[in-house]
Amino acid sequence: MTTDGPLDLESLALEAAEGDLDTVVVAFPDMTGRLLGKRVTARFFLDHVVDRGGHAGEGIEACNYLLTTDVEMEVVPGYRYATWEAGYGDFRAIPDLNTLRRIPWLEATALVLCDLTDHDGNPVSVSPRQILKDQLKRAEAAGFSVKMGSELEFFLSPDTYEQVAENHFRAPRTEGWYNLDYHILQTSKDEPIIRRIRNEMLGANIPIEFSKGEAAPGQHEINLRYSDALEMADNHTVYKNGVKEIAHLEGRSATFMAKPYAAQPGSSCHIHTSLWSTDGETPHSCGEAGDGMSADMRAFVAGLQTHLADLTLLGAPNLNSYKRYQPESWAPTATVWALDNRTAGLRLVGHGAGLRIESRIPGADANPYLAFAGVIAAGLAGIEAGLDCGEPFNGNAYAANADDSDDGPTLTHVPWNLPDATIAFRDSDVANGAFGEDVMYHLVHGAEAEWKAFHQSVTDWEYRRGYERL
């Protein structure tokens, strides 16, 4: 039987009956954006997990501590949402059947993403998918739907994940040894795995546009087609997980760290955003003539210029995130908009219905649900305040200053480290108004715990610098 096209419950049941599908990964994103969940037999999924055939689906249950751990899966004390005192109970993961898809790189396997609810069926407000959904509801109330696209870069290594770990994560080799930006010969060497990723993502109903080499040895970018913001975040998450799974199956490894190599450019997550009518049919980003921004889009961009620095934490959530922000590194830090200018943090590109603003600030390590939510919250603040973005910046935004010296224009820059970004986010009126007390506490506490964990560690850099000489 055919296994092409979207997967629904009817086709899942047919493929399960014929033995073509026997496993469904029932998953949800955690606070880092990675997928957690369970592998469920296809028959149990159809009979018990989802609404079908007159019975109410039960979803799956999982421990609520999963939204309060760090990347090491260590329980982080001090959260309000889930605690030792409350006993770390369960939440329920309810499949969103719009996300049901085959996973071609895993044998006889499908995947579905879930929303999280408490025992009473209420959404878990601090779950990343719900955080984004809440911002999309605010946009809808303002008369818009939001379409987004995220461009993810990653480094490919001939070393397996196990080999990298055995070498204590010291300088994994890269595929190739020179800059392969748009390079056809060098990317041909990686084409067997890159082609597999492109084609198998299409088989997973993730619309791939193209692949290209990026600006460092072993660095690649594979672009997904833009879509509604929630669908884009879902596709981003499944794609990112899939790239790592395929790399593993090919005896290699891939990393989406923001800055895995000090001497090379980092990996970004450029976020493209456009405004549409609530039915998603009519573009609202361009003016009536189609050759410039509408008043609403100008206000949205003004909101990004004014507030995105304070919401940097949502697009740069880790210690390593801030290592990208180096002068003339292709990772802009100035929250200024410009016309097709890659030195600016906000780059206006496209025309007509394709007119959109690109935020070049987030890194590839960002949780897309949170990064998208931050962009929407900042932009909506501009619309609510009736702001205007003014004239575009001209020149090299890296050369502009973040102080009061006379050597160039003064621009607002993103924070340079995680503690500063955490404080800026915590104290932001826009963030507090958009996300509410529970979400703000949850996100800030996670960032503070990450900094504390790092601050209590001793790095290789410290050993090299001080073991003998200090």
Side-chain angles (χ1 to χ4, degrees), residues 153 155 172 174-181 214-219 257-268 320 323-331:
E153 298 163 354
F155 279 85
T174 59
E175 292 282 5
W177 59 92
Y178 53 83
N179 183 328
L180 65 156
D181 202 18
E214 264 300 326
Q219 192 179 37
M257 284 180 63
K259 186 77 168 180
Y261 302 98
Q264 300 294 344
S267 289
S268 68
N320 182 255
K323 304 295 177 68
R324 282 180 63 241
Y325 300 141
Q326 304 295 329
E328 299 180 354
S329 65
W330 304 107

Side-chain angles (χ1 to χ4, degrees), residues 12 43 54 56 72 96 121 134 142 177 190 210 213 220 247 249 269 287 327 335 347 356 368-369 378 404 415 429 453:
L12 173 60
R43 178 49 55 197
E72 299 280 7
D96 180 346
D134 287 342
W177 59 92
D190 296 333
F210 61 82
H220 291 268
L249 293 171
C269 171
T335 59
R347 174 176 171 245
R356 60 200 184 275
Y369 301 94
D404 295 325
D429 290 338

Side-chain angles (χ1 to χ4, degrees), residues 103 108 111 265 279 340 380 415 426:
I103 299 297
L111 177 145
D279 62 7
D340 195 14
L380 287 179
R426 182 198 65 197

Side-chain angles (χ1 to χ4, degrees), residues 36-110:
L36 303 179
K38 298 179 180 179
R39 282 176 164 82
V40 179
T41 63
R43 178 49 55 197
F44 186 85
F45 180 80
L46 292 165
D47 290 345
H48 297 281
V49 176
V50 293
D51 294 337
R52 181 174 176 268
H55 67 77
E58 303 168 3
I60 64 167
E61 292 182 340
C63 181
N64 61 15
Y65 95 106
L66 294 171
L67 295 181
T68 65
T69 63
D70 63 13
V71 73
E72 299 280 7
M73 298 299 292
E74 295 288 343
V75 176
V76 176
Y79 280 102
R80 295 173 180 169
Y81 166 67
T83 65
W84 288 112
E85 289 73 18
Y88 286 116
D90 282 343
F91 51 56
R92 193 173 297 277
I94 305 300
D96 180 346
L97 294 179
N98 291 319
T99 70
L100 183 64
R101 68 193 75 214
R102 301 173 188 85
I103 299 297
W105 56 91
L106 298 179
E107 184 178 1
T109 297

Side-chain angles (χ1 to χ4, degrees), residues 300-312:
F300 191 90
V301 172
L304 297 182
Q305 283 194 128
T306 306
H307 303 295
L308 200 55
D310 288 345
L311 276 67
T312 299

Side-chain angles (χ1 to χ4, degrees), residues 173-190:
R173 295 180 297 163
T174 59
E175 292 282 5
W177 59 92
Y178 53 83
N179 183 328
L180 65 156
D181 202 18
Y182 293 91
H183 207 284
I184 297 301
L185 173 60
Q186 180 59 43
T187 54
S188 292
K189 299 176 183 178
D190 296 333

